Amino acid sequence: QVQVVESGGGLVQPGGSLRLDCAASGSILSIYNMAWYRQAPGNEREWVAGLTRTNSTNYLDSVKGRFTISRDNAQNTVYLQMNGLKPEDTAVYYCVAYTPTAQYWGQGTQVTVSS
C-alpha cells in the first residue's frame, strides 16, 4: 500500500514558475516508477512526465525544456518543477506511484495559468 499526497498548485501568470510536490508513504520500496498526469475539465487526461527508480526521466513533448521531474530521496518526495508556464498548462495535476501490483493516485492539485 502506497499513499500519495500532492501539494504546490496555485495561480500563476503566463511565463511563471511553480513547483509541485508529491509525498509518497507506505510501501515506498515497492515503487518502480512515478509520474505526473494532468486533466482539465472536459479534456482527456494526459501523461506529463515520468521518473523511474533509477532516475531516468521522460516528458510529454509539449513540456520538454520547461518541466523537470525529480526526486528527493531523503524526504520520499517527487517534484515537478514547471517553468515557462502557459495557459494550456492549466489543469488538475496528479501524481501517480506505480508498483508491480497497483498504481496509486494522489488527490490532485489545481494549477491555473492566467493573467
Side-chain angles (χ1 to χ4, degrees):
Q1 185 73 24
V2 174
Q3 294 79 46
V4 178
V5 179
E6 301 154 326
S7 61
L11 174 64
V12 296
Q13 296 181 349
S17 297
L18 197 65
R19 191 184 76 175
L20 306 183
D21 307 324
C22 174
S25 61
S27 301
I28 59 173
L29 293 179
S30 67
I31 300 172
Y32 65 82
N33 196 27
M34 299 286 293
W36 288 93
Y37 285 76
R38 66 187 183 187
Q39 186 172 26
N43 291 13
E44 297 180 354
R45 182 182 63 192
E46 63 180 350
W47 169 85
V48 176
L51 175 68
T52 71
R53 190 171 180 86
T54 57
N55 290 326
S56 177
T57 61
N58 47 72
Y59 300 92
L60 176 68
D61 282 346
S62 63
V63 308
K64 287 181 179 178
R66 300 189 298 120
F67 290 12
T68 303
I69 186 171
S70 61
R71 173 185 289 112
D72 180 349
N73 288 320
Q75 299 298 321
N76 300 319
T77 302
V78 171
Y79 306 103
L80 185 68
Q81 178 66 48
M82 305 184 294
N83 300 322
L85 284 163
K86 304 175 180 179
E88 55 262 41
D89 295 319
T90 296
V92 177
Y93 282 71
Y94 299 92
C95 181
V96 187
Y98 293 90
T99 73
T101 57
Q103 56 184 250
Y104 300 90
W105 290 72
Q107 78 286 354
T109 185
Q110 176 71 48
V111 173
T112 302
V113 185
S114 176
S115 298

